[in-house]
Amino acid sequence: MSADQTATPARTLGAGLEPFLERLDAEAEALAARTETWSAINSGSFELTGLKLMRAPLLDAVSALPGQVEEVQLRPSERVRPDGEVIEIEHGASIRVRVRPEAPIQVALTGHYDTVFPAAHPFQKPWRDGAMLRGPGAADMKGGIAVMLAALQAFEATPGDKRVGYEVLLSPDEEIGSMASAPLLAALGAKAHVGMTYEPALADGALVDARKGSGNFSLIVKGRAAHVGRAFADGRSAVLAAAEAALALNALNGQRDGVTFNVGAIDGGSAVNVVPERAVLRFNIRSPDAEGAIWGEAEARRIAEAANARDGISAHLHGGITRPPKPLNDQQRTIVSWTRTAGEALGLDLKFQASGGVCEGNNLAAAGCPNIDTLGPCGGGLHSDQEFALLASFSERAKLSFLMLSGLERGLFDVRSLRS
């Protein structure tokens, strides 16, 4: 499809929608205040009590939408302890809202209400700092959820029957890889024509158009304990085997364009007079394309097999590429052009760039759903006590999403070009 066929003049997109855009401008302070309230509720990914507390105001907020609201219990996921034992981890529930599931155009809107900050972390309270709202989740992504819901409510306020339906999915485990919510994301992405995800845009207003894929791995190594004074030669060090595997992984960097291997930690060992019997090597692989991801995982398994072949050592690789790459293909280019057009209607010259980070947009894309995944407020300092969202961007980005939904409704953005 040519650029002329996919590009919709901004003036056509915004025509007649001025009252709704003005409404979103008037809600700017309310959006910031809602985010501030939510930011004060700790909802670290492993904090089940806090996640439950956070669901209460979210369920109240989504009840304003004209659809079925439900809490979806998630299955436990696996986690490798420092001693090498694999245990099950419980998760909070996802929140799902389905509106007009029979409509001919279906949109997936996703977000997460967990943060990276456990209850013991000192970064717990939000505050205003000039043009910024600082606080846990202010940008990533309680602010994004506020933007999403404002855009949807404005869209629902437009007159007439609608041919756009959608499903909102708010998950409690995105910051730890979406392992439990992955099946819900895959099912949603398989049936939606287009996806809208509310990670924050960059502080300069830029959005992300392509992402690397990512996988977290744990190499569980078992050796043979021995007293280093009486029977040193009888021991087989799990820590040394893990360290050699770490060096082999690091040596793979630079062998394939864009594929990275990061050794994050080695757990193991005890007293220095004991040959260590157990170790866990934790590492991450990222790749810009599917071929690189396949190669990277194969290399990791080769190194694991080499460790397992050492005398007196057993090694087991746990994990995999759980967020496939999200490349800039033709479908992604089309939805990027739609987003740019919506930005032009607001007087914005939106920029896009690739990212090595991952999010639910990777999951949707892997299920065949092209998506824009940085539709939240502009911000930065993510995953640190410097996190902030720009106050002026709350209404701006709500208007951007509103115009994208309106373009789909009016037929100005043709979803047939995405799901052909």
Side-chain angles (χ1 to χ4, degrees):
M1 181 168 288
S2 70
D4 289 341
Q5 290 173 301
T6 58
T8 303
R11 60 181 179 274
T12 303
L13 177 58
L17 297 176
E18 293 84 0
F20 303 98
L21 296 172
E22 291 170 2
R23 162 184 164 165
L24 288 169
D25 277 329
E27 293 177 358
E29 172 55 29
L31 294 180
R34 168 175 271 185
T35 303
E36 195 168 9
T37 298
W38 290 349
S39 176
I41 303 172
N42 176 272
S43 55
S45 303
F46 296 113
E47 304 289 349
L48 295 182
T49 299
L51 290 167
K52 183 177 180 180
L53 288 172
M54 187 65 226
R55 283 199 298 278
L58 288 176
L59 288 165
D60 181 64
V62 299
S63 67
L65 300 175
Q68 176 188 359
V69 179
E70 59 180 322
E71 292 183 74
V72 183
Q73 299 300 318
L74 303 180
R75 293 182 177 180
S77 64
E78 291 185 339
R79 184 173 177 85
V80 179
R81 295 194 317 194
D83 64 0
E85 295 301 312
V86 180
I87 61 173
E88 287 192 338
I89 297 294
E90 299 291 332
H91 299 279
S94 287
I95 296 173
R96 183 165 62 193
V97 187
R98 288 172 169 155
V99 177
R100 293 182 292 278
E102 75 290 343
I105 298 173
Q106 291 295 316
V107 182
L109 297 104
T110 76
H112 65 88
Y113 64 96
D114 63 322
T115 73
V116 300
F117 305 104
H121 197 283
F123 188 50
Q124 297 291 335
K125 300 294 184 183
W127 73 97
R128 307 284 180 107
D129 182 8
M132 298 180 290
L133 172 62
R134 294 188 178 274
D140 186 19
M141 64 177 299
K142 295 176 181 181
I145 296 173
V147 166
M148 175 207 294
L149 296 180
L152 288 172
Q153 287 182 260
F155 177 66
E156 292 298 339
T158 58
D161 295 334
K162 294 180 172 57
R163 64 194 192 108
V164 170
Y166 53 88
E167 182 174 317
V168 174
L169 183 66
L170 306 179
S171 300
D173 64 335
E174 191 278 337
E175 295 292 9
I176 52 174
S178 300
M179 296 300 293
S181 58
L184 297 179
L185 290 163
L188 176 56
K191 64 186 178 184
H193 294 94
V194 64
M196 301 171 70
T197 294
Y198 287 81
E199 294 290 338
L202 279 70
D204 64 1
L207 294 90
V208 170
D209 55 9
R211 292 184 181 273
K212 285 187 175 184
S214 175
N216 295 325
F217 297 80
S218 296
L219 181 63
I220 304 169
V221 184
K222 295 182 180 180
R224 185 186 306 147
H227 189 289
V228 300
R230 293 188 174 189
F232 178 73
D234 293 338
R236 296 294 182 269
S237 173
V239 169
L240 283 180
E244 290 190 6
L247 291 173
L249 286 165
N250 187 62
L252 295 172
N253 285 306
Q255 292 192 20
R256 193 177 182 108
D257 189 33
V259 181
T260 59
F261 298 78
N262 181 65
V263 174
I266 298 179
D267 300 317
S270 56
V272 294
N273 62 347
V274 178
V275 176
E277 181 182 24
R278 292 174 179 264
V280 178
L281 168 63
R282 303 181 192 274
F283 61 96
N284 174 269
I285 301 175
R286 300 206 175 204
S287 171
D289 51 51
E291 294 77 13
I294 292 170
W295 174 80
E297 187 163 356
E299 287 296 297
R301 297 198 180 282
R302 177 184 62 79
I303 290 170
E305 290 168 3
N308 190 59
R310 290 168 58 99
D311 176 51
I313 296 291
S314 65
H316 169 68
L317 188 62
H318 187 276
I321 302 292
T322 53
R323 293 200 198 268
K326 177 185 168 181
L328 185 58
N329 55 24
D330 289 343
Q331 289 76 21
Q332 279 299 125
R333 290 187 179 92
T334 296
I335 190 173
V336 164
S337 74
W338 296 351
T339 311
R340 281 202 175 103
T341 297
E344 289 169 9
L346 299 172
L348 303 174
D349 181 16
L350 295 177
K351 306 299 183 185
F352 285 80
Q353 63 185 59
S355 173
V358 293
C359 72
E360 292 171 339
N362 292 74
N363 298 69
L364 294 180
C369 181
N371 63 86
I372 296 296
D373 60 31
T374 40
L375 289 169
C378 305
L382 309 183
H383 296 187
S384 79
D385 61 5
Q386 300 301 306
E387 182 178 353
F388 69 90
L390 297 177
L391 291 165
S393 68
F394 280 92
S395 59
E396 175 188 275
R397 297 302 155 127
K399 291 188 292 184
L400 181 67
S401 285
F402 167 72
L403 287 179
M404 292 177 69
L405 291 165
S406 299
L408 291 168
E409 175 63 34
R410 293 177 167 191
L412 301 176
F413 301 146
D414 181 11
V415 294
R416 291 175 299 179
S417 62
L418 300 177
R419 290 280 195 176
S420 55

